[in-house]
Amino acid sequence: MAKVAFIGLGVMGYPMAGHLKTRGGHDVTVYNRTTAKAEKWAKEFDGGFAKTPKDAATDCDFVFSCVGNDDDLRSVTTGPDGAFHGLKKGAVFIDNTTASAEVARELHAAAGEKGCAFIDAPVSGGQAGAENGALTVMCGGDQEAFDKARPVIECFAKFVGLMGDVGAGQLTKMVNQICIAGLLQGLSEAIHFAKKADLDVERVIAAIRGGAAQSWQMENRWETMSAGKFDHGFAVDWMRKDLGICLKTANDTGARLPVTALVDQFYAEVQAMGGKRWDTSSLIARLENADKT
């Protein structure tokens, strides 16, 4: 059993912290900006809660974070009352936020000055993956720190891999989001085309799902996409944040992402339609909305 802190109890962090307690049997203290949510978690999982990230992290062996963006991450780590001010020497900080590789490298350096390790460890699998403890975790950092943290991370994961040096986890997550954006746009166009051609969408999917067109998105989203239901958790707002990171990094590295840039603008149109909190499969709504205008 280790002493663990978890900072950020959103739709992902809340169940992830729970698995650290129930599966791992760790001594877990949580922090959330809304104290009532931290209190609720502590009561549900028989854990502790703290009023600042610093207090949560004090004397912990491992500290996890899962917050919104780079600025949120800096706030809960190196900001006033941030977790880094409470880290003990030898602790490992694991960040599950989808953020930039730059902030990961920045915080790795800051942790090193305190004699601590930092691992960027963004996750994939969505709200359902977090609740089921079946996330994919893509890590960047030192091998020694990864080996130390891996058994703890595995409490909420089905796959945990070291992608390379610090920042490599975030870069791998960018690859993941680029793939998802293109797949969802293609699936949206395919379902839209099938409907316009007066085909039975269910029969079409049954015919093609066993071949080269098959994907996780097809298996898990075609039916709700066809029905116009977009309540699977990972919001368009979040995807646009992620794609913004991808596009900035592409600009910095010289990579060309023409399809990703186009799909990002399509998501902006979905936002303008009122779909900010719809899930990412809602790209099809943009195509169907065009029929009404």
Side-chain angles (χ1 to χ4, degrees), residues 6-262:
F6 202 104
I7 297 166
L9 300 177
V11 295
M12 302 292 287
Y14 194 100
M16 290 163 69
H19 289 303
L20 290 169
K21 179 69 175 178
T22 57
R23 285 187 178 179
H26 298 297
D27 177 8
V28 182
T29 299
V30 299
Y31 165 81
N32 195 66
R33 283 184 297 184
T34 305
T35 303
K37 197 166 189 179
E39 291 175 333
K40 178 185 175 184
W41 184 96
K43 183 176 180 180
E44 180 178 347
F45 292 100
D46 191 26
F49 72 94
K51 293 186 177 180
T52 68
K54 176 183 176 181
D55 291 342
T58 298
D59 294 327
C60 283
D61 305 299
F62 302 93
V63 181
F64 290 81
S65 61
C66 190
V67 293
N69 55 40
D70 286 19
D71 289 339
D72 294 332
L73 184 55
R74 291 187 179 99
S75 175
V76 300
T77 54
T78 58
D81 291 323
F84 278 25
H85 302 301
L87 290 179
K88 68 178 183 180
K89 188 173 182 180
V92 182
F93 193 100
I94 304 107
D95 176 45
N96 300 124
T97 308
T98 296
S100 69
E102 287 79 9
V103 76
R105 297 179 185 119
E106 173 188 321
L107 295 180
H108 177 264
E113 291 176 1
K114 295 181 174 293
C116 301
F118 179 91
I119 299 172
D120 55 295
V123 301
S124 179
Q127 184 176 347
E131 291 172 351
N132 295 325
L135 293 170
T136 293
V137 187
M138 301 154 270
C139 300
D142 301 328
Q143 185 71 55
E144 182 179 354
F146 174 77
D147 291 341
K148 186 177 179 181
R150 181 173 185 167
V152 186
I153 300 171
E154 286 177 337
C155 291
F156 53 73
K158 66 177 181 181
F159 172 85
V160 183
L162 183 62
M163 302 296 106
D165 292 337
V166 63
Q170 296 295 352
L171 292 168
T172 303
K173 180 61 184 287
M174 294 176 209
V175 173
N176 185 78
Q177 301 305 76
I178 291 166
C179 290
I180 290 172
L183 284 167
L184 281 170
Q185 178 61 22
L187 183 58
S188 296
E189 292 183 15
I191 294 171
H192 176 69
F193 177 87
K195 287 182 173 182
K196 297 296 282 186
D198 293 325
L199 291 170
D200 183 315
V201 177
E202 184 174 2
R203 290 185 181 183
V204 170
I205 296 297
I208 68 174
R209 72 193 321 168
Q214 192 273 345
S215 68
W216 186 95
Q217 300 294 342
M218 178 183 288
E219 290 298 316
N220 291 275
R221 295 290 181 264
W222 79 264
E223 193 168 6
T224 49
M225 289 171 71
S226 184
K229 298 178 180 178
F230 312 118
D231 55 359
H232 289 287
F234 190 74
V236 168
D237 279 353
W238 300 342
M239 186 58 149
R240 286 217 71 205
K241 183 265 289 186
D242 291 359
L243 293 181
I245 295 171
C246 295
L247 293 168
K248 180 183 182 303
T249 304
N251 184 65
D252 293 342
T253 60
R256 293 180 292 172
L257 304 179
V259 173
T260 304
L262 187 60

Side-chain angles (χ1 to χ4, degrees), residues 270-281:
V270 174
Q271 287 176 317
M273 290 168 54
K276 293 181 178 182
R277 306 302 297 177
W278 294 348
D279 74 64
T280 50
S281 67

